[in-house]
Coordinates of all heavy atoms in Angstrom, one line a residue:
Chain B
W212 N -7.2 20.9 -18.6 CA -6.2 20.9 -19.7 C -7.0 20.5 -21.0 O -6.7 21.1 -22.1 CB -5.1 19.9 -19.6 CG -4.1 20.3 -18.5 CD1 -3.9 19.8 -17.3 CD2 -3.3 21.5 -18.6 NE1 -3.0 20.4 -16.6 CE2 -2.6 21.5 -17.2 CE3 -3.0 22.5 -19.5 CZ2 -1.7 22.6 -17.0 CZ3 -2.1 23.5 -19.2 CH2 -1.5 23.6 -18.0
T213 N -8.0 19.6 -20.9 CA -8.8 19.3 -22.1 C -9.5 20.6 -22.6 O -9.5 20.7 -23.8 CB -9.9 18.2 -21.8 OG1 -10.7 18.6 -20.6 CG2 -9.2 16.9 -21.5
I214 N -10.0 21.4 -21.7 CA -10.6 22.6 -22.1 C -9.6 23.7 -22.6 O -9.8 24.4 -23.7 CB -11.5 23.2 -20.9 CG1 -12.7 22.2 -20.6 CG2 -12.0 24.6 -21.4 CD1 -13.4 22.7 -19.4
Q215 N -8.5 23.7 -22.1 CA -7.5 24.7 -22.4 C -6.9 24.4 -23.7 O -6.5 25.3 -24.5 CB -6.3 24.9 -21.4 CG -6.9 25.3 -20.0 CD -7.6 26.6 -20.0 OE1 -7.3 27.5 -20.8 NE2 -8.6 26.7 -19.1
L216 N -6.5 23.2 -24.0 CA -5.7 22.8 -25.1 C -6.4 22.2 -26.3 O -5.7 21.6 -27.1 CB -4.6 21.8 -24.6 CG -3.8 22.3 -23.4 CD1 -2.8 21.2 -23.0 CD2 -3.0 23.6 -23.9
T217 N -7.7 22.3 -26.3 CA -8.4 21.8 -27.4 C -9.4 22.8 -28.0 O -9.9 23.7 -27.2 CB -9.2 20.5 -27.2 OG1 -10.2 20.7 -26.2 CG2 -8.3 19.3 -26.7
T218 N -9.9 22.7 -29.2 CA -11.0 23.5 -29.7 C -12.1 22.5 -30.2 O -13.1 22.3 -29.5 CB -10.6 24.5 -30.8 OG1 -9.7 23.8 -31.7 CG2 -9.8 25.6 -30.1
T219 N -11.8 21.8 -31.4 CA -12.8 20.9 -31.9 C -12.2 19.6 -32.1 O -12.8 18.5 -31.8 CB -13.3 21.5 -33.1 OG1 -12.2 21.8 -34.1 CG2 -14.3 22.6 -32.9
N220 N -11.0 19.6 -32.8 CA -10.5 18.3 -33.3 C -10.3 17.2 -32.3 O -10.6 16.1 -32.4 CB -9.1 18.5 -34.0 CG -9.2 18.4 -35.4 OD1 -9.9 17.6 -35.9 ND2 -8.4 19.2 -36.2
A221 N -9.5 17.6 -31.2 CA -9.2 16.6 -30.2 C -10.0 16.7 -29.0 O -9.8 16.1 -28.0 CB -7.7 16.9 -29.9
A222 N -11.1 17.6 -29.0 CA -11.9 17.8 -27.7 C -12.5 16.5 -27.3 O -13.2 15.9 -28.0 CB -12.8 18.9 -28.0
P223 N -12.2 16.1 -26.1 CA -12.9 15.0 -25.5 C -14.2 15.5 -24.9 O -14.6 16.6 -25.0 CB -12.0 14.5 -24.4 CG -11.3 15.7 -24.0 CD -11.2 16.6 -25.2
L224 N -15.1 14.5 -24.3 CA -16.4 14.9 -23.8 C -16.4 16.0 -22.8 O -17.3 16.8 -22.8 CB -17.0 13.6 -23.2 CG -17.4 12.6 -24.3 CD1 -17.7 11.3 -23.6 CD2 -18.7 13.1 -25.0
S225 N -15.3 16.0 -22.0 CA -15.3 17.1 -20.9 C -15.3 18.5 -21.5 O -16.1 19.3 -21.0 CB -14.1 16.9 -19.9 OG -12.8 16.8 -20.7
A226 N -14.5 18.6 -22.6 CA -14.4 19.9 -23.2 C -15.7 20.2 -24.1 O -16.3 21.3 -24.1 CB -13.2 20.0 -24.2
F227 N -16.2 19.1 -24.7 CA -17.4 19.2 -25.6 C -18.6 19.6 -24.6 O -19.4 20.6 -25.0 CB -17.7 17.8 -26.1 CG -18.9 17.6 -26.8 CD1 -19.2 18.2 -28.1 CD2 -19.9 16.9 -26.2 CE1 -20.4 18.0 -28.7 CE2 -21.1 16.8 -26.9 CZ -21.4 17.3 -28.2
I228 N -18.7 19.0 -23.5 CA -19.9 19.4 -22.6 C -19.7 20.7 -22.1 O -20.7 21.4 -22.0 CB -20.0 18.3 -21.5 CG1 -20.3 16.9 -22.0 CG2 -21.0 18.8 -20.4 CD1 -21.7 16.7 -22.3
A229 N -18.5 21.1 -21.8 CA -18.3 22.4 -21.1 C -18.7 23.5 -22.2 O -19.0 24.7 -21.7 CB -16.9 22.6 -20.8
S230 N -18.7 23.3 -23.4 CA -19.0 24.2 -24.4 C -20.5 24.5 -24.3 O -21.0 25.6 -24.9 CB -18.5 24.0 -25.7 OG -19.3 22.7 -26.2
F231 N -21.2 23.8 -23.7 CA -22.7 24.1 -23.6 C -23.0 24.7 -22.2 O -23.9 24.3 -21.6 CB -23.6 22.7 -23.7 CG -23.4 22.1 -25.0 CD1 -22.7 20.9 -25.1 CD2 -23.9 22.7 -26.1 CE1 -22.7 20.2 -26.3 CE2 -23.7 22.1 -27.3 CZ -23.1 20.8 -27.4
S232 N -22.1 25.7 -21.9 CA -22.4 26.3 -20.6 C -23.8 27.0 -20.5 O -24.3 27.1 -19.4 CB -21.3 27.2 -20.3 OG -21.2 28.1 -21.2
S233 N -24.3 27.2 -21.5 CA -25.7 27.7 -21.5 C -26.6 26.8 -22.5 O -26.0 26.4 -23.5 CB -25.8 29.2 -22.0 OG -25.1 29.4 -23.2
P234 N -27.8 26.6 -22.1 CA -28.6 25.6 -22.8 C -29.2 26.1 -24.1 O -30.0 25.4 -24.7 CB -29.6 25.1 -21.8 CG -29.7 26.3 -20.9 CD -28.5 27.0 -20.9
Q235 N -28.7 27.3 -24.6 CA -29.3 27.7 -25.8 C -28.8 26.8 -26.9 O -27.8 26.4 -27.1 CB -28.8 29.1 -26.1 CG -27.7 29.6 -25.2 CD -27.0 30.7 -25.8 OE1 -26.4 30.7 -26.9 NE2 -26.9 31.8 -25.0
G236 N -29.8 26.5 -27.8 CA -29.5 25.5 -28.9 C -29.6 24.1 -28.4 O -30.2 23.3 -29.1
L237 N -29.1 23.8 -27.3 CA -29.2 22.5 -26.8 C -30.2 22.6 -25.6 O -29.9 23.2 -24.6 CB -27.9 22.0 -26.3 CG -27.7 20.6 -26.0 CD1 -27.7 19.8 -27.3 CD2 -26.6 20.2 -25.2
F238 N -31.3 21.9 -25.7 CA -32.4 22.0 -24.7 C -32.2 21.0 -23.6 O -31.3 20.2 -23.6 CB -33.8 22.0 -25.3 CG -33.9 23.1 -26.3 CD1 -33.9 22.8 -27.7 CD2 -34.1 24.4 -25.9 CE1 -34.2 23.8 -28.6 CE2 -34.3 25.3 -26.8 CZ -34.3 25.1 -28.1
W239 N -33.0 21.2 -22.6 CA -32.9 20.4 -21.3 C -32.7 18.9 -21.6 O -31.8 18.2 -21.1 CB -34.1 20.6 -20.5 CG -33.8 21.6 -19.4 CD1 -33.6 21.4 -18.1 CD2 -33.6 23.1 -19.6 NE1 -33.3 22.6 -17.5 CE2 -33.3 23.6 -18.4 CE3 -33.6 23.9 -20.8 CZ2 -33.0 24.9 -18.1 CZ3 -33.4 25.2 -20.5 CH2 -33.1 25.7 -19.3
A240 N -33.7 18.3 -22.3 CA -33.6 16.8 -22.6 C -32.3 16.4 -23.4 O -31.8 15.5 -23.0 CB -34.9 16.4 -23.4
K241 N -32.0 17.3 -24.4 CA -30.8 16.9 -25.1 C -29.6 17.1 -24.2 O -28.7 16.3 -24.3 CB -30.7 17.8 -26.4 CG -31.1 17.1 -27.6 CD -30.9 17.9 -28.9 CE -31.9 19.0 -29.0 NZ -31.6 19.9 -30.1
L242 N -29.5 18.2 -23.6 CA -28.4 18.4 -22.6 C -28.3 17.2 -21.6 O -27.2 16.6 -21.4 CB -28.6 19.6 -21.8 CG -27.4 20.0 -20.8 CD1 -26.2 20.3 -21.6 CD2 -27.8 21.1 -19.9

Side-chain angles (χ1 to χ4, degrees):
Chain B
W212 293 111
T213 52
I214 294 171
Q215 300 305 327
L216 302 178
T217 62
T218 46
T219 50
N220 250 329
L224 286 166
S225 52
F227 170 77
I228 296 280
S230 65
F231 298 112
S232 57
S233 50
Q235 10 162 305
L237 193 76
F238 298 107
W239 262 252
K241 257 188 282 174
L242 180 69

